[in-house]
Amino acid sequence: MTTKGFLVCFKSDLWIAVRSFSTYFAIVLPTAIAVLSLSMSRLGELTTEARERFSNIEIPLGGSISTGYGNLVDGMLVALTCAVLVVTTYAAWTFANDFRNGTVRHLVTRVTSRHALVLAKIVTIHVLAIVSLVIAFVSAYFLAGSLWTYESVVEDSFELINEMEIRKEILLGLGLALITIPASITLGMFVSVCASSPVQSTVITLAILVIYGLFQPYFGAYAEYCFLTFTPLLFDTSYLREVSDIVRGFSDVYVSNSTIRLNLWIPVIQTIGFCFLIYFITGRRRL
């Protein structure tokens, strides 16, 4: 019954998502913002170069203008930030909206269980997040490659960081950022199963993301025990944000191994914790 109910709910959520304009908008939005950000960065560089040529100022070779890796990371950061905000608020909205409309009661009394229904929604949101991020990353990669050049960072004929090291850092930063997305989705779903309306759950979720970002500096070392510290958001200190400087050749960037280990384990542990809370509350909430 549970497996069958999960498949029914999963197919139903996918069917609705495929035929919903808001879903396409949510998928395309991170890509559009990343493309706009990269285009504006290149336009700003061209404007600066033209102004310096007009003023007869010598333009230095190398740096962030001559390599596309730094700008690629910036584009990925923008896309990830947008995607996290979209999927988290969507997770906060979806169950609360179905609960208010009576869809949850209808499904539970006919074809599925409460837990299978919530699990189907979580899996569906992960699928949408994967599709959105794949499109955004591929678009950012090809656009950054066409506007800039992917190459090692060289200054005064000295190679500061080669392409292999750059790609290794980008993959590490990207992996550490992506591992936080399930925690963000389950956070939104946790608020959704607790709230009484979709507006309430959405506002509370956005408030959590914004307020934590504003007060994070006051938490000191304790901030590393919350997954939001490592999640690409407006006020985060994610490793991927440091990678933006690393791939540009800055040598004063340092992230401790303990911080990286916490980035690996804290999101996983807190995702499991949110799942237990969702399971507990969903089974006891009155329909």
Side-chain angles (χ1 to χ4, degrees):
M1 176 67 178
T2 301
T3 304
K4 180 181 178 181
F6 166 78
L7 293 176
V8 170
C9 293
F10 180 61
K11 292 178 182 178
S12 174
D13 286 338
L14 283 182
W15 189 90
I16 294 172
V18 169
R19 289 159 178 79
S20 174
F21 173 78
S22 59
T23 303
Y24 290 104
F25 179 77
I27 290 176
V28 173
L29 184 61
T31 301
I33 293 181
V35 169
L36 179 62
S37 175
L38 290 173
S39 301
M40 293 299 294
S41 296
R42 185 54 181 161
L43 180 62
E45 290 182 359
L46 292 175
T47 303
T48 301
E49 291 178 9
R51 186 185 304 114
E52 290 175 344
R53 287 195 180 95
F54 182 77
S55 303
N56 293 324
I57 300 176
E58 182 180 356
I59 303 175
L61 297 176
S64 60
I65 293 180
S66 62
T67 178
Y69 287 111
N71 295 282
L72 171 62
V73 174
D74 291 343
M76 288 181 170
L77 266 172
V78 171
L80 269 169
T81 300
C82 180
V84 168
L85 291 173
V86 168
V87 298
T88 306
T89 53
Y90 181 75
W93 172 85
T94 178
F95 183 87
N97 182 67
D98 287 352
F99 181 83
R100 183 194 62 176
N101 294 336
T103 306
V104 173
R105 178 188 293 270
H106 177 76
L107 290 173
V108 168
T109 56
R110 289 180 178 270
V111 296
T112 187
S113 67
R114 304 181 183 197
H115 301 126
L117 173 62
V118 174
L119 179 61
K121 290 186 176 297
I122 292 176
V123 173
T124 302
I125 296 171
H126 277 83
V127 172
L128 296 179
I130 291 172
V131 174
S132 176
L133 290 174
V134 168
I135 295 174
F137 290 162
V138 171
S139 301
Y141 178 81
F142 284 107
L143 181 60
S146 62
L147 296 179
W148 294 274
T149 303
Y150 291 132
E151 58 186 4
S152 304
V153 178
V154 179
E155 183 177 348
D156 297 330
S157 301
F158 178 77
E159 186 178 68
L160 299 178
I161 182 171
N162 58 49
E163 286 195 73
M164 183 176 297
E165 294 172 329
I166 288 174
R167 291 172 181 172
K168 181 181 178 181
E169 291 293 340
I170 291 177
L171 290 176
L172 175 60
L174 196 58
L176 293 176
L178 291 175
I179 202 173
T180 65
I181 292 181
S184 301
I185 293 175
T186 51
L187 168 64
M189 187 60 67
F190 168 69
V191 177
S192 187
V193 299
C194 294
S196 57
S197 70
V199 175
Q200 182 188 63
S201 61
T202 303
V203 171
I204 291 175
T205 302
L206 287 176
I208 291 173
L209 300 180
V210 174
I211 292 174
Y212 180 83
L214 291 174
F215 287 94
Q216 177 187 323
Y218 299 100
F219 298 150
Y222 293 104
E224 295 184 349
Y225 293 93
C226 179
F227 77 93
L228 289 175
T229 301
F230 310 111
T231 306
L233 289 170
L234 300 176
F235 308 100
D236 71 288
T237 55
S238 63
Y239 183 73
L240 188 60
R241 200 169 296 277
E242 302 296 336
V243 172
S244 178
D245 291 333
I246 293 175
V247 300
R248 286 184 164 94
F250 293 97
S251 58
D252 57 346
V253 179
Y254 173 74
V255 179
S256 65
N257 292 329
S258 62
T259 299
I260 294 177
R261 284 195 296 269
L262 288 173
N263 194 163
L264 284 171
W265 288 106
I266 292 298
V268 176
I269 294 173
Q270 294 181 352
T271 299
I272 296 173
F274 282 130
C275 288
F276 274 112
L277 290 174
I278 292 169
Y279 183 90
F280 179 81
I281 294 173
T282 304
R284 287 159 177 78
R285 182 171 182 177
R286 179 177 297 179
L287 298 180

